[in-house]
Amino acid sequence: IDVVIPIPDTSRTSAVQAAYVLGRPYREGFIKNRYIARTFIMPGQETRRKSVRLKLNTIKSEFAGRNVLLVDDSVVRGTTATEIIQMARDAGANKVYLTSAAPPIRYPNIYGIDIPTREELVAYERNEVEIAEKLGCDWVVYQELNDLEAAVREAGENPEQAYESSCFSGTYVTGETINDPYFTKLHDLRNDTAKLKKLESTGSMQAGLPPGSHDGCENLSNDKS
């Protein structure tokens, strides 16, 4: 590894620490357009893919001829990661490695976060070698759930604190199991086809982009308090 590069913005703290432990330089390799909507909640794979390219631009001098470790806070569908890995290669990277500060997300969230259906998650029924092949990187490394929870406990006040980590472990604090009918209902509501049909039925589709989107960018009204 020649250089550690964060995928902005929330992975910066993890990338700084990774660079320190590895003894490798930390560099900013991406410029972020701050008016792009969150890509992982956009309906439709093609919409998400195009929006990633609008969202980030590479600083080619940070990638050219180098073995690059990209650090992300999490990998959900893998849309963003796949595009960013290809962007790094297009910028001249020799090898591209990816590490995630979150453990592999293999299960849907049922407590309010719009994590997609299980089948759409890149880590669903894949090991790390298969995920790396799917994403197009040379290898991928995830945070271990036990280590993540231990770090949070160490920073907290209660060393016996339990955490809601169902999207990583598949264990739900309210007792549901992955085969319950409730998950079938969530799948029917959350899958890409259902979301696109809903947008079409309400007349909200704008060239395949989500409501309030201007070529994948946030509406300026979203900046108003």
Side-chain angles (χ1 to χ4, degrees):
I1 296 171
D2 298 314
V3 64
V4 177
I5 295 178
I7 299 174
D9 288 308
T10 51
S11 64
R12 284 196 175 102
T13 52
S14 300
V16 167
Q17 184 65 10
Y20 174 76
V21 171
L22 292 171
R24 293 293 184 268
Y26 167 96
R27 303 292 295 175
E28 292 285 347
F30 295 99
I31 301 297
K32 182 177 181 180
N33 180 342
R34 300 187 180 278
Y35 296 95
I36 298 295
R38 294 301 303 275
T39 54
F40 86 91
I41 60 174
M42 289 180 175
Q45 185 73 0
E46 185 63 17
T47 298
R48 291 188 291 267
R49 188 190 66 78
K50 289 180 179 179
S51 294
V52 172
R53 292 279 179 165
L54 290 170
K55 185 177 183 178
L56 294 171
N57 290 285
T58 55
I59 302 173
K60 292 185 177 181
S61 60
E62 302 296 348
F63 294 91
R66 294 177 174 176
N67 297 329
V68 177
L69 175 63
L70 300 178
V71 181
D72 205 352
D73 57 355
S74 61
V75 181
V76 186
R77 286 184 176 95
T79 307
T80 298
T82 299
E83 288 297 319
I84 287 175
I85 290 164
Q86 186 57 52
M87 289 169 68
R89 294 196 188 281
D90 293 343
N94 181 31
K95 290 185 179 294
V96 181
Y97 310 117
L98 177 68
T99 186
S100 169
I105 299 173
R106 293 192 166 101
Y107 304 91
N109 181 278
I110 62 173
Y111 304 120
I113 300 174
D114 189 14
I115 286 180
T117 61
R118 191 180 182 190
E119 290 78 5
E120 295 172 3
L121 301 170
V122 71
Y124 174 65
E125 293 189 342
R126 292 187 179 96
N127 59 34
E128 291 184 2
V129 173
E130 293 168 332
I131 294 169
E133 182 178 353
K134 178 73 173 177
L135 297 176
C137 58
D138 293 279
W139 52 249
V140 62
V141 174
Y142 284 93
Q143 169 84 275
E144 295 285 344
L145 179 57
N146 289 340
D147 291 341
L148 176 62
E149 292 184 339
V152 177
R153 287 192 187 98
E154 182 178 343
E157 298 179 354
N158 182 4
E160 304 300 322
Q161 178 69 53
Y163 298 100
E164 200 296 296
S165 56
S166 57
C167 59
F168 308 125
S169 66
T171 301
Y172 295 88
V173 296
T174 45
E176 287 83 2
T177 63
I178 199 66
N179 294 319
D180 286 352
Y182 183 66
F183 287 92
T184 302
K185 181 180 179 181
L186 281 184
H187 177 274
D188 293 340
L189 291 172
R190 289 185 176 183
N191 69 79
D192 275 349
T193 301
K195 288 181 178 179
L196 289 171
K197 284 183 177 179
K198 183 177 179 181
L199 290 176
E200 289 170 354
S201 66
T202 58
S204 298
M205 288 298 291
Q206 301 176 16
L209 297 171
S213 174
H214 299 272
D215 293 330
C217 300
E218 292 277 15
N219 191 312
L220 291 178
S221 64
N222 293 347
D223 291 337
K224 297 177 180 178
S225 58

Coordinates of all heavy atoms in Angstrom, one line a residue, residues 113-185:
I113 N -34.3 3.0 9.1 CA -33.2 3.3 8.1 C -33.6 2.6 6.8 O -33.9 1.4 6.8 CB -31.8 2.8 8.6 CG1 -31.5 3.5 9.9 CG2 -30.8 3.1 7.6 CD1 -30.2 3.1 10.6
D114 N -33.5 3.3 5.7 CA -33.9 2.8 4.4 C -32.8 1.9 3.8 O -32.2 2.3 2.8 CB -34.3 3.9 3.5 CG -34.9 3.4 2.2 OD1 -35.3 2.2 2.2 OD2 -35.0 4.1 1.2
I115 N -32.4 0.9 4.5 CA -31.5 -0.1 3.9 C -32.3 -1.0 3.0 O -33.4 -1.5 3.4 CB -30.8 -0.9 5.0 CG1 -29.7 0.0 5.7 CG2 -30.1 -2.1 4.5 CD1 -29.0 -0.7 6.8
P116 N -31.8 -1.3 1.8 CA -32.6 -2.0 0.9 C -32.8 -3.5 1.2 O -32.4 -3.9 2.3 CB -31.7 -1.9 -0.4 CG -30.4 -1.7 0.1 CD -30.5 -0.9 1.3
T117 N -33.6 -4.1 0.4 CA -33.9 -5.5 0.7 C -32.6 -6.4 0.7 O -31.6 -6.0 0.1 CB -34.8 -6.1 -0.4 OG1 -34.2 -6.0 -1.7 CG2 -36.1 -5.3 -0.5
R118 N -32.6 -7.5 1.3 CA -31.5 -8.3 1.6 C -30.7 -8.7 0.3 O -29.5 -8.7 0.2 CB -31.9 -9.6 2.3 CG -30.7 -10.4 2.9 CD -31.2 -11.6 3.7 NE -30.1 -12.3 4.2 CZ -30.2 -13.5 4.8 NH1 -31.4 -14.1 4.8 NH2 -29.2 -14.2 5.2
E119 N -31.5 -9.0 -0.7 CA -30.9 -9.5 -2.0 C -30.1 -8.4 -2.7 O -29.3 -8.7 -3.6 CB -32.0 -10.1 -2.9 CG -32.6 -11.4 -2.5 CD -33.7 -11.2 -1.4 OE1 -34.0 -10.0 -1.0 OE2 -34.2 -12.2 -0.8
E120 N -30.4 -7.1 -2.4 CA -29.8 -6.0 -3.1 C -28.4 -5.7 -2.4 O -27.7 -4.9 -2.9 CB -30.7 -4.8 -3.1 CG -31.9 -5.0 -4.0 CD -32.9 -3.9 -3.9 OE1 -32.6 -2.9 -3.2 OE2 -34.0 -4.0 -4.5
L121 N -28.2 -6.2 -1.2 CA -27.0 -5.9 -0.5 C -25.8 -6.7 -1.1 O -25.9 -7.9 -1.3 CB -27.1 -6.3 1.0 CG -28.3 -5.5 1.7 CD1 -28.5 -6.2 3.1 CD2 -28.0 -4.1 1.9
V122 N -24.7 -6.0 -1.3 CA -23.5 -6.6 -2.0 C -22.9 -7.7 -1.1 O -22.4 -8.7 -1.7 CB -22.5 -5.6 -2.3 CG1 -21.7 -5.1 -1.1 CG2 -21.5 -6.1 -3.3
A123 N -23.1 -7.7 0.2 CA -22.5 -8.7 1.1 C -23.4 -9.9 1.2 O -23.1 -10.9 1.9 CB -22.2 -8.1 2.4
Y124 N -24.6 -9.8 0.7 CA -25.6 -10.9 0.8 C -25.1 -12.2 0.2 O -24.8 -12.2 -1.0 CB -27.0 -10.5 0.2 CG -28.0 -11.6 0.2 CD1 -28.5 -12.1 1.4 CD2 -28.5 -12.1 -1.0 CE1 -29.5 -13.1 1.4 CE2 -29.4 -13.1 -1.0 CZ -29.9 -13.6 0.2 OH -30.9 -14.6 0.2
E125 N -24.9 -13.2 1.0 CA -24.5 -14.6 0.6 C -23.2 -14.5 -0.2 O -22.9 -15.3 -1.1 CB -25.6 -15.3 -0.3 CG -26.8 -15.6 0.5 CD -27.8 -16.5 -0.3 OE1 -27.7 -16.5 -1.5 OE2 -28.6 -17.1 0.4
R126 N -22.3 -13.5 0.2 CA -21.0 -13.5 -0.4 C -19.9 -13.4 0.7 O -20.1 -12.7 1.7 CB -20.8 -12.3 -1.4 CG -21.6 -12.3 -2.6 CD -21.3 -11.1 -3.5 NE -22.1 -11.2 -4.8 CZ -23.2 -10.5 -5.0 NH1 -23.6 -9.7 -4.0 NH2 -23.8 -10.5 -6.1
N127 N -18.7 -14.0 0.5 CA -17.6 -13.8 1.3 C -16.8 -12.6 0.8 O -17.1 -12.0 -0.2 CB -16.8 -15.1 1.5 CG -16.2 -15.6 0.2 OD1 -15.9 -14.8 -0.7 ND2 -16.1 -16.9 0.0
E128 N -15.7 -12.3 1.5 CA -14.9 -11.1 1.2 C -14.3 -11.3 -0.2 O -14.1 -10.3 -1.0 CB -13.9 -10.9 2.2 CG -14.5 -10.4 3.5 CD -13.5 -10.0 4.6 OE1 -12.2 -10.1 4.3 OE2 -13.9 -9.6 5.7
V129 N -13.8 -12.5 -0.6 CA -13.2 -12.7 -1.9 C -14.3 -12.4 -3.0 O -14.0 -11.7 -4.0 CB -12.7 -14.1 -2.0 CG1 -12.2 -14.4 -3.5 CG2 -11.5 -14.3 -1.1
E130 N -15.5 -12.9 -2.8 CA -16.6 -12.7 -3.8 C -17.0 -11.3 -3.8 O -17.3 -10.8 -4.9 CB -17.7 -13.7 -3.4 CG -17.4 -15.1 -3.6 CD -18.4 -16.0 -3.0 OE1 -19.1 -15.6 -2.0 OE2 -18.6 -17.2 -3.4
I131 N -17.0 -10.6 -2.7 CA -17.4 -9.2 -2.7 C -16.4 -8.4 -3.4 O -16.7 -7.5 -4.2 CB -17.5 -8.7 -1.2 CG1 -18.7 -9.4 -0.5 CG2 -17.7 -7.2 -1.2 CD1 -18.7 -9.1 1.0
A132 N -15.1 -8.6 -3.2 CA -14.0 -7.9 -3.9 C -14.2 -8.1 -5.4 O -14.0 -7.2 -6.2 CB -12.7 -8.4 -3.4
E133 N -14.5 -9.3 -5.8 CA -14.7 -9.6 -7.3 C -15.9 -8.8 -7.8 O -15.8 -8.3 -8.9 CB -14.9 -11.1 -7.5 CG -15.0 -11.5 -8.9 CD -15.2 -13.0 -9.1 OE1 -15.0 -13.7 -8.1 OE2 -15.4 -13.4 -10.3
K134 N -16.9 -8.8 -7.0 CA -18.1 -8.1 -7.4 C -17.9 -6.6 -7.6 O -18.4 -5.9 -8.5 CB -19.3 -8.3 -6.4 CG -20.6 -7.6 -6.7 CD -21.3 -8.2 -7.9 CE -22.7 -7.6 -8.0 NZ -23.4 -8.1 -9.2
L135 N -17.1 -6.0 -6.6 CA -16.9 -4.6 -6.6 C -15.8 -4.2 -7.6 O -15.7 -3.0 -8.0 CB -16.4 -4.1 -5.2 CG -17.5 -4.3 -4.1 CD1 -16.8 -3.9 -2.8 CD2 -18.7 -3.5 -4.4
G136 N -14.9 -5.1 -8.0 CA -13.8 -4.8 -8.9 C -12.5 -4.4 -8.3 O -11.7 -3.8 -9.0
C137 N -12.4 -4.6 -7.0 CA -11.1 -4.2 -6.3 C -10.2 -5.4 -6.1 O -10.7 -6.6 -6.3 CB -11.4 -3.5 -5.0 SG -12.4 -4.5 -3.8
D138 N -9.0 -5.2 -5.7 CA -8.0 -6.3 -5.6 C -8.3 -7.1 -4.3 O -8.1 -8.3 -4.3 CB -6.6 -5.8 -5.6 CG -6.3 -5.2 -7.0 OD1 -6.0 -6.0 -7.9 OD2 -6.4 -4.0 -7.2
W139 N -8.7 -6.5 -3.2 CA -9.2 -7.2 -2.1 C -10.0 -6.2 -1.2 O -9.9 -5.0 -1.3 CB -8.2 -7.9 -1.2 CG -7.0 -7.2 -0.7 CD1 -5.7 -7.4 -1.2 CD2 -6.8 -6.2 0.3 NE1 -4.8 -6.6 -0.5 CE2 -5.5 -5.8 0.4 CE3 -7.8 -5.5 1.1 CZ2 -5.0 -4.9 1.3 CZ3 -7.3 -4.6 2.0 CH2 -5.9 -4.3 2.1
V140 N -10.9 -6.7 -0.3 CA -11.7 -5.9 0.6 C -11.6 -6.5 2.0 O -11.5 -7.7 2.2 CB -13.2 -5.9 0.1 CG1 -13.8 -7.3 0.1 CG2 -14.0 -4.9 0.9
V141 N -11.5 -5.5 2.9 CA -11.5 -5.9 4.4 C -12.5 -5.1 5.1 O -12.7 -3.9 4.9 CB -10.1 -5.6 5.0 CG1 -10.1 -5.8 6.5 CG2 -9.0 -6.4 4.3
Y142 N -13.3 -5.9 6.0 CA -14.3 -5.3 6.8 C -13.9 -5.2 8.3 O -13.1 -6.0 8.7 CB -15.6 -6.1 6.7 CG -16.4 -5.9 5.4 CD1 -16.2 -6.8 4.3 CD2 -17.3 -4.9 5.3 CE1 -16.9 -6.7 3.2 CE2 -18.1 -4.8 4.1 CZ -17.9 -5.7 3.1 OH -18.6 -5.6 1.9
Q143 N -14.5 -4.2 9.0 CA -14.4 -4.2 10.4 C -15.1 -5.4 11.0 O -16.1 -5.9 10.5 CB -15.1 -2.9 10.9 CG -15.4 -2.9 12.4 CD -14.2 -2.3 13.1 OE1 -13.3 -3.1 13.5 NE2 -14.2 -1.0 13.4
E144 N -14.6 -6.0 12.0 CA -15.3 -7.1 12.7 C -16.3 -6.5 13.7 O -16.0 -5.5 14.4 CB -14.2 -7.9 13.5 CG -13.2 -8.7 12.7 CD -13.8 -9.9 12.0 OE1 -14.9 -10.3 12.4 OE2 -13.2 -10.4 11.0
L145 N -17.5 -7.1 13.7 CA -18.6 -6.6 14.6 C -18.2 -6.6 16.1 O -18.4 -5.6 16.8 CB -19.8 -7.4 14.4 CG -21.0 -7.0 15.2 CD1 -21.4 -5.6 15.0 CD2 -22.2 -7.9 14.9
N146 N -17.5 -7.6 16.5 CA -17.1 -7.7 17.9 C -16.1 -6.5 18.2 O -16.2 -5.9 19.3 CB -16.4 -9.0 18.2 CG -17.4 -10.2 18.3 OD1 -18.6 -10.0 18.4 ND2 -16.9 -11.4 18.1
D147 N -15.2 -6.3 17.3 CA -14.3 -5.2 17.6 C -15.0 -3.8 17.6 O -14.7 -2.9 18.3 CB -13.2 -5.2 16.5 CG -12.3 -6.4 16.6 OD1 -12.2 -7.0 17.7 OD2 -11.6 -6.7 15.6
L148 N -16.0 -3.6 16.7 CA -16.7 -2.4 16.6 C -17.5 -2.2 17.9 O -17.4 -1.1 18.5 CB -17.7 -2.4 15.4 CG -18.6 -1.2 15.3 CD1 -17.9 0.0 15.0 CD2 -19.6 -1.5 14.1
E149 N -18.2 -3.2 18.4 CA -18.9 -3.0 19.6 C -18.0 -2.8 20.8 O -18.3 -2.0 21.7 CB -19.8 -4.3 19.8 CG -20.9 -4.4 18.8 CD -21.9 -5.5 19.1 OE1 -21.5 -6.5 19.8 OE2 -23.0 -5.5 18.5
A150 N -16.9 -3.5 20.8 CA -15.9 -3.3 21.9 C -15.4 -1.9 21.9 O -15.2 -1.3 23.0 CB -14.8 -4.3 21.8
A151 N -15.1 -1.3 20.8 CA -14.6 0.1 20.7 C -15.7 1.1 21.2 O -15.3 2.0 21.9 CB -14.2 0.4 19.3
V152 N -17.0 0.8 20.9 CA -18.0 1.7 21.3 C -18.2 1.6 22.8 O -18.4 2.6 23.5 CB -19.3 1.4 20.6 CG1 -20.4 2.3 21.1 CG2 -19.1 1.7 19.1
R153 N -18.1 0.4 23.3 CA -18.2 0.2 24.8 C -17.1 0.9 25.5 O -17.3 1.5 26.6 CB -18.2 -1.3 25.1 CG -19.5 -2.0 24.8 CD -19.6 -3.4 25.4 NE -20.7 -4.2 24.9 CZ -20.6 -5.0 23.9 NH1 -19.5 -5.3 23.3 NH2 -21.7 -5.7 23.5
E154 N -15.9 0.8 25.0 CA -14.8 1.4 25.6 C -14.9 2.9 25.7 O -14.5 3.6 26.7 CB -13.5 1.1 24.8 CG -12.2 1.6 25.5 CD -11.0 1.2 24.7 OE1 -11.1 0.3 23.8 OE2 -9.9 1.9 24.9
A155 N -15.6 3.5 24.7 CA -15.8 4.9 24.7 C -17.0 5.4 25.5 O -17.2 6.5 25.8 CB -16.0 5.4 23.3
G156 N -17.9 4.4 25.9 CA -19.1 4.7 26.6 C -18.9 4.6 28.1 O -17.8 4.4 28.6
E157 N -20.1 4.7 28.8 CA -20.1 4.6 30.3 C -20.4 3.3 30.8 O -20.2 3.0 32.0 CB -21.0 5.7 30.8 CG -20.7 7.1 30.4 CD -21.6 8.1 30.9 OE1 -22.7 7.7 31.5 OE2 -21.4 9.3 30.8
N158 N -21.1 2.4 30.0 CA -21.5 1.1 30.5 C -20.8 0.0 29.7 O -21.1 -0.3 28.5 CB -23.0 1.0 30.2 CG -23.6 -0.3 30.8 OD1 -22.9 -1.1 31.3 ND2 -24.9 -0.5 30.6
P159 N -19.9 -0.7 30.4 CA -19.1 -1.8 29.7 C -20.0 -3.0 29.3 O -19.5 -3.8 28.5 CB -18.0 -2.1 30.7 CG -18.6 -1.7 32.0 CD -19.4 -0.5 31.7
E160 N -21.2 -3.1 29.8 CA -22.1 -4.2 29.5 C -23.1 -3.8 28.5 O -24.0 -4.6 28.2 CB -22.7 -4.7 30.8 CG -21.8 -5.1 31.9 CD -20.8 -6.2 31.5 OE1 -21.3 -7.1 30.8 OE2 -19.6 -6.1 31.9
Q161 N -23.0 -2.6 28.0 CA -24.1 -2.2 27.0 C -24.2 -3.1 25.8 O -23.2 -3.5 25.2 CB -23.7 -0.7 26.6 CG -24.7 -0.1 25.6 CD -26.0 0.2 26.2 OE1 -26.1 0.8 27.2 NE2 -27.1 -0.3 25.6
A162 N -25.5 -3.4 25.5 CA -25.7 -4.1 24.2 C -26.2 -3.1 23.2 O -26.7 -2.1 23.5 CB -26.8 -5.2 24.5
Y163 N -26.0 -3.5 21.9 CA -26.3 -2.6 20.8 C -27.2 -3.2 19.8 O -27.2 -4.4 19.6 CB -25.0 -2.1 20.2 CG -24.1 -1.4 21.1 CD1 -23.0 -2.0 21.7 CD2 -24.3 0.0 21.4 CE1 -22.2 -1.3 22.6 CE2 -23.5 0.7 22.3 CZ -22.5 0.0 22.9 OH -21.6 0.7 23.8
E164 N -27.9 -2.4 19.1 CA -28.8 -2.8 18.0 C -27.9 -2.9 16.7 O -27.5 -1.9 16.2 CB -29.9 -1.8 17.8 CG -31.1 -2.4 17.0 CD -30.8 -2.8 15.6 OE1 -30.5 -1.9 14.8 OE2 -30.9 -4.0 15.3
S165 N -27.6 -4.1 16.3 CA -26.7 -4.3 15.2 C -27.2 -5.3 14.2 O -26.5 -6.1 13.6 CB -25.3 -4.8 15.7 OG -25.4 -5.9 16.5
S166 N -28.6 -5.3 14.0 CA -29.3 -6.3 13.3 C -28.8 -6.3 11.8 O -28.8 -7.4 11.2 CB -30.8 -6.1 13.3 OG -31.1 -4.8 12.9
C167 N -28.5 -5.1 11.2 CA -28.1 -5.2 9.8 C -26.8 -5.9 9.6 O -26.5 -6.3 8.5 CB -28.1 -3.7 9.2 SG -26.9 -2.6 10.0
F168 N -26.0 -6.1 10.6 CA -24.8 -6.8 10.6 C -24.9 -8.3 11.0 O -24.4 -9.2 10.4 CB -23.7 -6.2 11.4 CG -23.5 -4.7 11.2 CD1 -23.5 -3.8 12.2 CD2 -23.1 -4.2 9.9 CE1 -23.3 -2.5 12.0 CE2 -22.9 -2.9 9.7 CZ -23.0 -2.0 10.8
S169 N -25.7 -8.5 12.0 CA -25.8 -9.8 12.6 C -27.0 -10.6 12.3 O -27.1 -11.8 12.4 CB -25.7 -9.7 14.2 OG -26.9 -9.0 14.6
G170 N -28.1 -9.9 11.9 CA -29.4 -10.5 11.6 C -30.2 -10.8 12.9 O -31.2 -11.5 12.8
T171 N -29.7 -10.3 14.0 CA -30.4 -10.5 15.3 C -31.2 -9.2 15.6 O -30.5 -8.2 15.8 CB -29.4 -10.8 16.4 OG1 -28.7 -12.0 16.1 CG2 -30.1 -11.0 17.7
Y172 N -32.5 -9.3 15.7 CA -33.3 -8.1 15.9 C -33.8 -8.0 17.4 O -34.3 -9.0 17.9 CB -34.5 -8.2 15.0 CG -34.1 -8.1 13.5 CD1 -33.8 -9.2 12.8 CD2 -34.0 -6.8 12.9 CE1 -33.4 -9.1 11.5 CE2 -33.6 -6.7 11.6 CZ -33.3 -7.9 10.9 OH -32.8 -7.8 9.6
V173 N -33.6 -6.9 18.0 CA -33.9 -6.7 19.4 C -35.4 -6.9 19.7 O -35.8 -7.2 20.8 CB -33.5 -5.3 19.9 CG1 -32.0 -5.2 19.8 CG2 -34.1 -4.2 19.2
T174 N -36.3 -6.7 18.7 CA -37.7 -6.9 18.9 C -38.2 -8.3 18.6 O -39.4 -8.6 18.6 CB -38.5 -5.9 18.0 OG1 -38.0 -5.9 16.7 CG2 -38.4 -4.5 18.6
G175 N -37.2 -9.2 18.3 CA -37.5 -10.6 18.2 C -37.8 -11.2 16.8 O -38.1 -12.4 16.7
E176 N -37.9 -10.3 15.8 CA -38.2 -10.8 14.5 C -37.1 -11.7 14.0 O -35.9 -11.6 14.4 CB -38.4 -9.7 13.5 CG -39.7 -8.9 13.6 CD -39.6 -7.9 14.7 OE1 -38.5 -7.7 15.3 OE2 -40.6 -7.2 15.0
T177 N -37.4 -12.7 13.1 CA -36.4 -13.5 12.4 C -36.5 -13.2 10.9 O -37.6 -12.7 10.4 CB -36.6 -15.0 12.7 OG1 -37.9 -15.4 12.1 CG2 -36.5 -15.3 14.1
I178 N -35.5 -13.5 10.2 CA -35.4 -13.1 8.8 C -36.4 -13.7 7.9 O -36.7 -13.2 6.8 CB -34.0 -13.4 8.2 CG1 -33.7 -12.6 7.0 CG2 -33.8 -14.9 8.0 CD1 -33.6 -11.1 7.2
N179 N -37.0 -14.8 8.4 CA -38.1 -15.5 7.6 C -39.5 -15.1 7.9 O -40.4 -15.7 7.4 CB -37.9 -17.0 7.7 CG -36.6 -17.5 7.1 OD1 -36.2 -17.1 6.1 ND2 -35.9 -18.4 7.8
D180 N -39.6 -14.1 8.8 CA -41.0 -13.7 9.2 C -41.7 -13.0 8.0 O -41.0 -12.4 7.2 CB -40.9 -12.7 10.4 CG -40.6 -13.4 11.7 OD1 -40.6 -14.6 11.7 OD2 -40.3 -12.7 12.7
P181 N -43.0 -13.1 8.0 CA -43.8 -12.4 6.9 C -43.5 -10.9 6.8 O -43.6 -10.3 5.8 CB -45.2 -12.7 7.3 CG -45.2 -13.9 8.1 CD -43.9 -13.9 8.9
Y182 N -43.1 -10.3 8.0 CA -42.9 -8.9 8.0 C -41.8 -8.5 7.0 O -41.8 -7.5 6.3 CB -42.5 -8.4 9.4 CG -42.2 -6.9 9.5 CD1 -43.3 -6.0 9.3 CD2 -41.0 -6.4 9.8 CE1 -43.1 -4.7 9.4 CE2 -40.8 -5.1 9.9 CZ -41.8 -4.2 9.7 OH -41.6 -2.8 9.8
F183 N -40.8 -9.4 6.8 CA -39.7 -9.1 5.9 C -40.1 -9.2 4.4 O -39.6 -8.5 3.6 CB -38.5 -10.0 6.2 CG -37.8 -9.7 7.4 CD1 -38.1 -10.3 8.6 CD2 -36.8 -8.8 7.4 CE1 -37.5 -9.9 9.8 CE2 -36.1 -8.4 8.6 CZ -36.4 -9.0 9.8
T184 N -41.1 -10.1 4.2 CA -41.7 -10.2 2.9 C -42.4 -8.9 2.5 O -42.3 -8.4 1.4 CB -42.6 -11.4 2.8 OG1 -41.9 -12.6 3.1 CG2 -43.2 -11.5 1.4
K185 N -43.1 -8.4 3.5 CA -43.8 -7.1 3.3 C -42.8 -6.0 3.0 O -43.0 -5.1 2.1 CB -44.6 -6.8 4.5 CG -45.4 -5.4 4.4 CD -46.2 -5.2 5.6 CE -47.0 -3.9 5.5 NZ -47.8 -3.6 6.8

